[in-house]
Amino acid sequence: MSSSTIRSRRLRSPQALLAFLGLTTIGGAAVALSTNHAEAAGEVAAANSLWREGSGAPVVGGEFDPRRSLAPLVKELAPAVVNIRAYGKRQQFDAQGIDPRMLPFLEQFNMGPGMEAPPQQGIGSGFVLTADGLVVTNHHVVNGTERLEVKLHDGRMFKGKVLGSDPLTDIALVQLEGASGLKTATLGNSTSLSVGDWVMAIGSPMGLEQTATAGIVSAKGRGSLGLYANSYIDFLQTDASIAPGSSGGPLFNMAGEVVGINTAVGGVGRGLGFAVPIDQAKTVIPQLKSSGKVVRGWLGISGREIEPAVGRAPESGAVVGAVQEGTPAAQAGLRAGDRVVAVNGREVVNFSDLRGRIADTQPGSKVILSVDRGGKKLDLNATIGKLPSEEELMRSARRMGSDKGKLFPDGQPRLGAQVEAKDGSLTVRGVAPGSLADELGLREGDVLKTINGQPVQQVGDVASALASDDGKVAVEVQRGGSTHSAMIERR
């Protein structure tokens, strides 16, 4: 990934959106891209027998009518929903900064210097996948815990062991020790969901076990909302009421099939609940069961979504921002500025879609990337690599950033924008896909005020301002009566 940093006075980044909305994961032990997983999910479901796959037919027998009451559905599904209590490691009590006169009082509660503090405890939810006690929940519910207790609908308690966990999709798989003959959930199809479909959540919001709430699918394809670094989550949004403690619990359709895993809530206003689509979970669960971790495909490119000009519909495809040397993308011949429009003949919607599709592809697989390069159509053969670890990606980013003049590979400072000089100002008339102007978020109609702190009024001013620092581009523009700034730095 590129080592660029972009700063703006607007809420342009997912992290800024997260801060604005007050979003938070909803498990008690929480720590804290539009992708199409339908094909991968179907292949996984056909290749394994880990779970019971639904057909869309109601799991409730008889003449069940959800318009009258959901009680028969709740009664049928509740036995497969569990409450999870996660206990963290004990730590030494830290008395630093505490008034010494308070210590005798604290010692009455085993909270004095040198004493062990009570273990951290979190509460979450989950659902039973197999009769022998495989339980699906969120990664953030079980991450860093020393002990797990899982309580069933009938009150039985089991010790749980984490078999595997994937922070990039916030999914974990837990094995209940000594469990057998358990009631299991049926998995549905989240890809076929439509906005407006009725759904129901069951879990332990605020520790209130076996709470059932209903609502609709409010939106699809919300991405990760900035909750997780480099995440592959593509949240469903629902207004079914969920709260802290609901994390890991199931979101059901009206057929009684799990279509999502409740994961996060919005801190501003009601009706902002988010769930990991079950089709995405289907690509992760088998790997967690077999190896405890998830291996993903990788090309070695960065990119960004392209905002269309005013009045124009967005073009489909993924615009390549940068290609790392020696990666599968470089070996395939991909270049910065290429627009990937299809993978193996299947249309690519945007960069997030491409990233998710490649991640779901087995490393070593060969794919055909259909590319638009300046209006010329090309088919490139690529062999998918294995996604490096986060540390390896960071090292690679630092290596890219350490190359002098990386912003201008040919040594010629270019912004990648068409500008018009008029009345002592420069107005942007076009932005080249994958260019620095594109990465900076410049738009048609923006009026350039400064570049790298230097005022720009004539076309010639742009190149000289860019040349003043070959490792950084900082721009300030006038847009719609307000001033916006952005910066890219690679050193």
Side-chain angles (χ1 to χ4, degrees):
M1 300 295 289
S2 168
S3 59
S4 305
T5 59
I6 300 179
R7 299 185 181 94
S8 175
R9 293 175 187 168
R10 297 182 298 138
L11 294 174
R12 296 182 55 183
S13 70
Q15 289 76 16
L17 175 63
L18 172 61
F20 175 70
L21 291 177
L23 290 167
T24 177
T25 47
I26 52 179
V31 289
L33 300 163
S34 175
T35 59
N36 188 335
H37 300 274
E39 292 182 1
E43 293 171 1
V44 171
N48 76 85
S49 57
L50 267 181
W51 58 79
R52 187 171 63 209
E53 189 76 15
S55 62
V59 299
V60 179
E63 298 181 359
F64 167 61
D65 185 353
R67 294 172 299 179
R68 297 181 58 186
S69 173
L70 297 181
L73 196 61
V74 175
K75 183 178 180 181
E76 176 69 22
L77 302 178
V81 181
V82 302
N83 169 262
I84 298 176
R85 301 175 187 177
Y87 299 90
K89 295 181 179 179
R90 290 180 176 269
Q91 298 179 347
Q92 292 292 317
F93 182 81
D94 185 3
Q96 185 175 355
I98 295 178
D99 189 328
R101 292 172 295 181
M102 291 293 295
L103 293 179
F105 172 78
L106 294 174
E107 288 173 355
Q108 298 179 39
F109 297 93
N110 296 321
M111 297 174 65
M115 297 181 180
E116 284 190 336
Q120 295 180 340
Q121 180 178 350
I123 297 175
S125 306
F127 59 90
V128 180
L129 191 69
T130 64
D132 62 354
L134 279 181
V135 169
V136 177
T137 186
N138 281 141
H139 162 80
H140 74 258
V141 171
V142 301
N143 184 42
T145 59
E146 189 176 58
R147 178 167 57 94
L148 291 177
E149 293 179 352
V150 180
K151 186 179 180 181
L152 303 187
H153 173 264
D154 59 12
R156 283 183 292 168
M157 192 79 72
F158 289 89
K159 291 182 179 180
K161 176 184 177 182
V162 178
L163 292 186
S165 191
D166 180 40
L168 297 186
T169 55
D170 203 353
I171 295 172
L173 198 59
V174 174
Q175 176 67 60
L176 307 189
E177 297 181 4
S180 64
L182 303 185
K183 174 77 172 180
T184 61
T186 300
L187 304 193
N189 185 331
S190 56
T191 303
S192 63
L193 283 175
S194 297
V195 174
D197 283 350
W198 288 101
V199 288
M200 181 177 67
I202 302 180
S204 304
M206 308 304 293
L208 301 172
E209 301 171 17
Q210 298 295 324
T211 296
T213 59
I216 64 170
V217 176
S218 304
K220 298 176 65 177
R222 288 303 194 197
S224 68
L225 300 170
L227 281 172
Y228 311 85
N230 300 319
S231 173
Y232 290 89
I233 298 176
D234 191 23
F235 279 128
L236 300 171
Q237 183 179 329
T238 179
D239 67 350
S241 180
I242 54 180
S246 298
S247 273
L251 186 70
F252 295 103
N253 61 17
M254 289 297 100
E257 301 166 339
V258 180
V259 292
I261 302 171
N262 300 320
T263 300
V265 293
V268 178
R270 297 182 178 181
L272 288 175
F274 301 93
V276 178
I278 198 63
D279 287 350
Q280 191 167 24
K282 289 176 183 177
T283 68
V284 170
I285 291 170
Q287 294 192 61
L288 295 181
K289 174 67 166 57
S290 62
S291 64
K293 60 182 180 180
V294 177
V295 175
R296 291 184 166 87
W298 180 67
L299 277 176
I301 59 175
S302 65
R304 66 183 303 273
E305 311 299 350
I306 303 300
E307 292 189 19
V310 176
R312 296 182 182 179
E315 293 185 79
S316 62
V319 176
V320 178
V323 179
Q324 296 184 27
E325 298 177 0
T327 62
Q331 294 166 1
L334 271 178
R335 301 178 186 174
D338 284 350
R339 183 186 294 271
V340 181
V341 296
V343 177
N344 289 337
R346 187 168 139 226
E347 183 182 10
V348 171
V349 178
N350 50 33
F351 189 80
S352 296
D353 181 33
L354 174 65
R355 181 172 177 264
R357 297 249 294 272
I358 295 301
D360 285 342
T361 303
Q362 185 70 22
S365 302
K366 298 184 183 299
V367 299
I368 299 175
L369 304 175
S370 299
V371 172
D372 184 325
R373 180 177 293 166
K376 184 179 180 181
K377 307 299 182 182
L378 301 172
D379 282 338
L380 303 179
N381 296 309
T383 301
I384 301 301
K386 177 183 176 182
L387 179 68
S389 67
E390 188 172 348
E391 291 182 0
E392 291 171 329
L393 288 173
M394 291 179 66
R395 285 198 297 269
S396 177
R398 285 195 293 269
R399 285 196 300 269
M400 290 184 67
S402 64
D403 294 339
K404 187 174 179 62
K406 198 66 179 182
L407 284 171
F408 315 113
D410 59 359
Q412 299 297 317
R414 293 188 183 92
L415 188 59
Q418 297 176 352
V419 294
E420 177 186 14
K422 186 177 181 180
D423 299 327
S425 64
L426 290 178
T427 302
V428 177
R429 295 304 181 195
V431 176
S435 65
L436 285 176
D438 194 14
E439 289 190 55
L440 287 161
L442 297 187
R443 303 178 186 175
E444 184 177 354
D446 285 348
V447 178
L448 287 170
K449 305 300 290 183
T450 66
I451 296 178
N452 288 340
Q454 300 182 20
V456 287
Q457 297 177 321
Q458 302 296 326
V459 174
D461 296 339
V462 175
S464 59
L466 291 172
S468 66
D469 192 332
D470 59 11
K472 181 184 76 173
V473 175
V475 298
E476 190 172 17
V477 302
Q478 194 78 18
R479 178 184 300 162
S482 60
T483 300
H484 302 266
S485 62
M487 184 178 77
I488 295 177
E489 186 171 11
R490 298 185 185 129
R491 297 190 184 280

